Amino acid sequence: MSRTSIYGLTLDKLTDWLVEQGEKKFRAAQIWDWIYLKRIDDFKKMTNLSKKTIQLLENYFVMGTLEKQIEQKAKDGTTKFLFKLSDGNLIETVLMLHEYGLSVCVTSQVGCNIGCSFCASGLLKKNRDLTSGEMVEQLVKIQQSLDARAKDERVSHIVVMGIGEPFDNFDPVMDFLKIINDGKGLAIGARHITVSTSGIVPKIYEFADIDWQINLAISLHAPNNELRSRIMKINRAYPIEKLMEAVDYYLQKTNRRITFEYIMLKDLNDHKQEALQLAKLLEKKRHLAYVNLIPYNPVEEHSEYQRSEKDAVVTFYETLKKCGINAVVRKEFGTDIDAACGQLRSKQIKKERLIKR
Ligand code: SAH
Ligand code: SF4
């Protein structure tokens, strides 16, 4: 049997497993203390466990499977990590510095099958889902990298906005969220965690039914079906009316604010008319809706799209504001290091393909 990553188990699952093996329940909390608080990298360093327990852990688990390939720092402090998985696949994770703290953008799949027409991740079809352990380890590895700088820096915020569609890998992503949120582990506050989806409607209902405070963001990008179906083919399966019904259910169930992401694409979705349509769409839920206007990160293969002009962004923003819709223009991070969704990874894959030829 191949050994799995210790980072993939929730505290409950680890506890159950230990009890099955004839170990005491409290060992689980001790092990978590070593891996998430002391952040050691070898089972042998767990000095309060017996040799027998350490051997048991070593027989069943590995302490992670990710191998750091590249750590690239931009002028604004954004750091991009490229990791190699045990099967050779590459994923990327980004660390950003905000005024409110350090935030990590986590990848949930190797590639993405949703295939939005403006996205670098969608260019490379999904290879496989990530396991919960591989998602947790992105964070652990980055925190270990911060530990090595010895500046007492701690990751405080998480966005699941890297490569992949988290709701297309629902159960492992939910386990990942449980693990990083758990107070006995990394203890990232639920209000500091945001999951972004392209709009897989049935999973929005499921997510709404979970009793926690984790934030939800919806990649909307267009205020009508004609336009949205053109740039996001998922809209053909789950059109805006169905998406908004699910959003209403989420709002009524959680009473939490929801973010709508909107990439500003020049002459495509950035006219005043679309701003007015968007305001109308969100009118009834404007007390709980928040629009994030995102500057488009040019992708080489999608030359049909350009970034909106500044004037268009300002007009769009002001139109929303005048209609009483909360909006913000998202700050950009690390543009000098390909920090946009999937870009470093796709460049690296192209480079490796060239080398293999
Ligand atoms: N699959 C999920 C989460 C990952 S994508 C989703 O689509 O929501 C995270 C965000 O980055 C999404 O809002 C996505 O639309 C956006 N994005 C993708 N490509 C982009 C690009 N080239 N420039 C700017 N934002 C992009
Ligand atoms: Fe996948 Fe999100 Fe990119 Fe769409 S925007 S292709 S859902 S990662």
Side-chain angles (χ1 to χ4, degrees), residues 151-200:
K151 288 194 197 147
D152 205 16
E153 294 164 305
R154 184 179 167 265
V155 174
S156 57
H157 290 69
I158 298 294
V159 289
V160 187
M161 292 190 186
I163 298 166
E165 166 50 55
F167 282 4
D168 180 40
N169 185 19
F170 196 79
D171 293 340
V173 168
M174 295 307 118
D175 268 1
F176 156 71
L177 296 173
K178 258 185 237 160
I179 294 166
I180 62 164
N181 174 233
D182 197 310
K184 289 205 170 69
L186 292 165
I188 314 268
R191 289 189 177 83
H192 290 181
I193 304 175
T194 304
V195 181
S196 171
T197 178
S198 57
I200 302 194

Side-chain angles (χ1 to χ4, degrees), residues 49 343 345:
L49 301 189
Q343 287 183 343
R345 173 174 174 265

Side-chain angles (χ1 to χ4, degrees), residues 25-86:
K25 251 185 174 175
F26 68 86
R27 294 271 176 245
Q30 283 180 322
I31 294 168
W32 265 41
D33 186 68
W34 284 111
I35 62 178
Y36 294 124
L37 297 174
K38 302 196 177 75
R39 294 186 282 279
I40 51 138
D41 55 6
D42 189 342
F43 291 114
K44 292 206 168 50
K45 294 180 184 164
M46 299 182 170
T47 48
N48 55 358
L49 301 189
S50 68
K51 280 216 174 75
K52 184 180 135 270
T53 310
I54 290 177
Q55 188 62 54
L56 180 69
L57 291 174
E58 284 178 336
N59 288 346
Y60 284 88
F61 299 109
V62 280
M63 196 161 278
T65 56
L66 267 56
E67 194 188 299
K68 189 169 79 185
Q69 296 256 299
I70 299 179
E71 180 174 339
Q72 212 177 53
K73 197 166 177 178
K75 291 192 197 89
D76 64 5
T78 304
T79 312
K80 185 134 191 170
F81 297 79
L82 193 80
F83 295 114
K84 194 178 215 153
L85 307 178
S86 56

Side-chain angles (χ1 to χ4, degrees), residues 118-119 161-162 164-165 196-198 219 221 261 263 295-297 299:
F118 44 77
C119 175
M161 292 190 186
E165 166 50 55
S196 171
T197 178
S198 57
S219 291
H221 306 322
E261 295 159 279
I263 302 183
Y296 172 61
N297 252 309
V299 176

Side-chain angles (χ1 to χ4, degrees), residues 100 103 156-161 166-167 170 173-174 176-177 180-181 188-197 204 207-208 210-218 250-251 254-261 288 290 292:
Y100 52 76
S103 156
S156 57
H157 290 69
I158 298 294
V159 289
V160 187
M161 292 190 186
F167 282 4
F170 196 79
V173 168
M174 295 307 118
F176 156 71
L177 296 173
I180 62 164
N181 174 233
I188 314 268
R191 289 189 177 83
H192 290 181
I193 304 175
T194 304
V195 181
S196 171
T197 178
I204 297 175
F207 189 76
I210 305 174
D211 186 19
W212 57 17
Q213 308 284 313
I214 291 177
N215 302 302
L216 182 62
I218 306 275
Y250 173 85
L251 293 177
T254 66
N255 205 33
R256 293 194 57 71
R257 204 170 69 165
I258 204 165
T259 303
F260 292 93
E261 295 159 279
L288 285 173
Y290 203 84
N292 218 330

